Amino acid sequence: GLREPTPDADFAVVDVLAPSTSIVALLDQGARYVRPFADADAARTFGREPDDAVLVGESHGAPLSGFDFLPLPGRFQQADLQDRPVGIRTTNGTRAVRRIEDPSGLFVGSTVNAGAVADRLARRERDSYVVAAGQRGVPSQEDSAGAGLIEAHCRGSLDRSERESIRTQIAECPTTQWLRGLGLDS
């Protein structure tokens, strides 16, 4: 649902179950930077440029040829990522990220960094949008829940029952069930 061209504003793009949480985890593991790609071939080209690059990605939940890991933190948590560049490509989230025309106003939001993203947006003096990536243009329960968590932090009104409701929405959403069915629940 992003307008084109995108407005001059800050954007927090939320795709909870693949790129958003993975990008945060990759940076926590010491990646030098994480570059999102909308196109798998462009990511593969990036992967050949710096000889120590790591590629993380999927297409409709399946591994991509030439990529090192699926974009699930449990799949790369043992990898040595210290000071290595990482390229990431996912079916929905990285495409949403790449649609933002001004990367200086781009934030990647998830449940693991919702408070930090909300704090950062509150300190900036610009309009801001929280964008749930969804799946193929259709809203998804988990991304809407993650966006709702960031919005609740922005309002400063997040109680225990709301936090538990968000956790349940993500745990019981169709995408989580699908990933579990594929054996990708880590």
Side-chain angles (χ1 to χ4, degrees):
L2 290 176
R3 292 190 326 235
E4 296 219 13
T6 56
D8 183 25
D10 289 331
F11 292 88
V13 175
V14 180
D15 190 336
V16 171
L17 293 179
S20 295
T21 302
S22 292
I23 289 170
V24 173
L26 290 161
L27 292 170
D28 281 348
Q29 272 185 246
R32 184 179 320 149
Y33 59 87
V34 179
R35 181 175 299 164
F37 289 90
D39 177 74
D41 288 333
R44 287 184 192 98
T45 299
F46 166 82
R48 290 188 296 271
E49 291 172 4
D51 61 3
D52 60 344
V54 175
L55 293 179
V56 176
E58 57 80 27
S59 178
H60 305 287
L64 286 164
S65 174
F67 282 64
D68 302 297
F69 302 102
L70 284 167
L72 300 166
R75 300 298 167 145
F76 55 76
Q77 68 186 4
Q78 301 301 319
D80 177 14
L81 300 175
Q82 193 61 44
D83 203 34
R84 296 178 74 185
V86 176
I88 187 169
R89 191 278 178 189
T90 64
T91 303
N92 298 296
T94 56
R95 289 188 329 197
V97 165
R98 297 299 300 175
R99 288 197 52 210
I100 306 302
E101 295 167 6
D102 177 11
S104 69
L106 174 64
F107 299 88
V108 174
S110 185
T111 56
V112 297
N113 69 344
V117 169
D119 289 346
R120 182 66 187 225
L121 291 173
R123 287 196 308 265
R124 294 173 58 96
E125 296 185 15
R126 292 175 52 152
D127 289 339
S128 60
Y129 297 88
V130 180
V131 179
Q135 295 177 332
R136 296 175 208 98
V138 177
S140 68
Q141 183 175 329
E142 70 277 8
D143 295 344
S144 296
L149 182 59
I150 293 171
E151 290 169 351
H153 277 286
C154 285
R155 290 189 312 270
S157 63
L158 183 67
D159 62 27
R160 178 177 279 214
S161 66
E162 187 173 10
R163 187 180 304 273
E164 188 56 39
S165 173
I166 290 168
R167 184 176 288 122
T168 300
Q169 288 174 53
I170 294 169
E172 295 176 358
C173 75
T175 306
T176 300
Q177 301 306 317
W178 176 69
L179 288 170
R180 284 187 185 130
L182 294 174
L184 300 174
D185 53 345
S186 62

